[in-house]
Amino acid sequence: MPKLDISKAPLKTGSVYPEPYAGDMKGRSSLRLGDLAGLTQYGVNIVVLEPGAVSSLRHWHQNEDEFAMVLDGDLVLIENDGETIMSPGDCAAWKAGVANGHRFVNMSDRPARFLVVGSKAPSEVATYSDIDMMIHIDGGKARFTYKDGTPWDGPR
Amino acid sequence: MPKLDISKAPLKTGSVYPEPYAGDMKGRSSLRLGDLAGLTQYGVNIVVLEPGAVSSLRHWHQNEDEFAMVLDGDLVLIENDGETIMSPGDCAAWKAGVANGHRFVNMSDRPARFLVVGSKAPSEVATYSDIDMMIHIDGGKARFTYKDGTPWDGPR
């Protein structure tokens, strides 16, 4: 596999989130570099956030390590402890199972990009810190529940 | 875990290779970002190559996916098929088990850096494409053999 032709990377837009949260992901897209290269053990994506866009709901992973490096622009990283300005070259990482909900927000007036790496665990649970929702992924299928484990059926 | 303080990342110099190959790794160092963050599922390192330095012997991994992105400077990627110039933002990746030996060489007159991600498989075998040597890693312990599996005891 020579140098990756990033222009050929699968482009993901939209969101797996149920409404009303899917709509909040407008202005976010990601280039699936790991998929382009045939990697199966972890995902590698370049996420592009237009001005005002967010990377995700604030969340943390039960089983998957996550790593991010800002490539272009300025982003605000929001975690349990507050906000951190992140500029190109700045890195952050979240060890699996640590309940520190995080997301990036582009509060600037130009697009920003970050590289993100996440393990591909056989099964995964992620918890959304700011709302009563969790995602459970098994065998590639996602289902959402409230934090008490009952099926998600709208914000409460 | 807020933004990583890269200045606190463990710095690795030297090489696990036996001589005469360890000496060939002069001018290479790496910042262990994944270790700094406590990640266990994959390694994330920033490798710094001084002018003339190489990233490794040309090798491929049996069990571990590998991904690299050039951060600063210009590097030459050497693979089975030849040489490719890699500039900041350029990426390459090697799926586990694909016998495409690769390494980076800094043929420029200034330092270069790349980010590299590699899975941490429970056991691993890497094959060095240009010499009669393999490395076997089990439980964190490394041993070298010839390609016929007998213990390595000097170049042949």
Side-chain angles (χ1 to χ4, degrees):
Chain A
M1 171 70 64
K3 184 170 83 170
L4 295 178
D5 182 350
I6 293 178
S7 72
K8 292 191 176 145
L11 178 71
K12 180 175 173 285
T13 57
S15 171
V16 298
Y17 297 154
E19 292 294 354
Y21 307 117
D24 296 340
M25 298 301 118
K26 212 171 62 175
R28 179 196 69 175
S29 58
S30 64
L31 291 162
R32 319 293 272 193
L33 299 187
D35 291 348
L36 176 67
L39 304 190
T40 61
Q41 299 171 358
Y42 47 83
V44 183
N45 302 321
I46 290 177
V47 179
V48 182
L49 295 183
E50 298 297 326
V54 301
S55 61
S56 62
L57 293 168
R58 201 162 71 83
H59 71 284
W60 59 274
H61 292 279
Q62 185 65 51
N63 300 325
E64 296 178 342
D65 282 351
E66 188 177 358
F67 171 87
M69 172 185 269
V70 177
L71 301 176
D72 302 297
D74 291 302
L75 290 167
V76 178
L77 170 62
I78 304 180
E79 298 180 298
N80 287 5
D81 290 342
E83 302 187 355
T84 308
I85 304 291
M86 302 278 290
S87 300
D90 287 345
C91 300
W94 303 275
K95 181 175 165 56
V98 177
N100 180 12
H102 53 274
R103 72 172 178 173
F104 288 104
V105 182
N106 184 355
M107 295 182 182
S108 79
D109 57 4
R110 61 193 179 107
R113 298 189 313 148
F114 65 97
L115 184 79
V116 62
V117 179
S119 311
K120 290 191 174 179
S123 74
E124 175 58 320
V125 177
T127 301
Y128 301 103
S129 309
D130 300 320
I131 59 174
D132 186 2
M133 193 169 84
M134 302 173 76
I135 185 171
H136 306 253
I137 302 174
D138 285 285
K141 286 193 179 173
R143 66 188 173 87
F144 291 90
T145 69
Y146 297 111
K147 288 177 180 172
D148 64 9
T150 58
W152 195 85
D153 189 33
R156 72 177 189 187
Chain B
M1 172 72 63
K3 183 169 83 171
L4 295 178
D5 182 350
I6 293 178
S7 72
K8 292 191 177 147
L11 178 71
K12 181 176 173 284
T13 56
S15 171
V16 297
Y17 296 154
E19 292 294 354
Y21 307 117
D24 295 341
M25 299 300 117
K26 212 170 64 176
R28 180 196 67 175
S29 58
S30 63
L31 291 162
R32 320 293 272 192
L33 300 187
D35 290 348
L36 176 67
L39 304 190
T40 62
Q41 299 171 357
Y42 48 83
V44 183
N45 301 321
I46 290 177
V47 180
V48 182
L49 296 183
E50 298 298 326
V54 302
S55 61
S56 61
L57 293 168
R58 202 161 70 84
H59 71 284
W60 59 274
H61 292 279
Q62 186 65 51
N63 300 327
E64 296 178 342
D65 283 350
E66 189 177 357
F67 171 87
M69 173 185 268
V70 177
L71 300 176
D72 301 297
D74 290 302
L75 290 167
V76 179
L77 170 61
I78 305 180
E79 298 180 298
N80 288 4
D81 290 342
E83 301 187 355
T84 308
I85 304 291
M86 302 278 291
S87 300
D90 287 343
C91 300
W94 303 275
K95 180 176 164 56
V98 177
N100 180 13
H102 53 273
R103 72 171 178 174
F104 288 104
V105 182
N106 184 356
M107 295 182 183
S108 79
D109 58 3
R110 61 194 181 105
R113 298 189 312 148
F114 65 97
L115 184 79
V116 63
V117 179
S119 311
K120 291 191 173 179
S123 74
E124 175 59 320
V125 177
T127 301
Y128 300 103
S129 308
D130 300 321
I131 58 173
D132 187 3
M133 194 170 83
M134 302 173 76
I135 186 171
H136 306 253
I137 302 174
D138 285 285
K141 287 194 178 171
R143 66 189 173 86
F144 292 90
T145 68
Y146 297 111
K147 288 177 180 171
D148 64 10
T150 58
W152 194 85
D153 189 32
R156 71 177 189 187

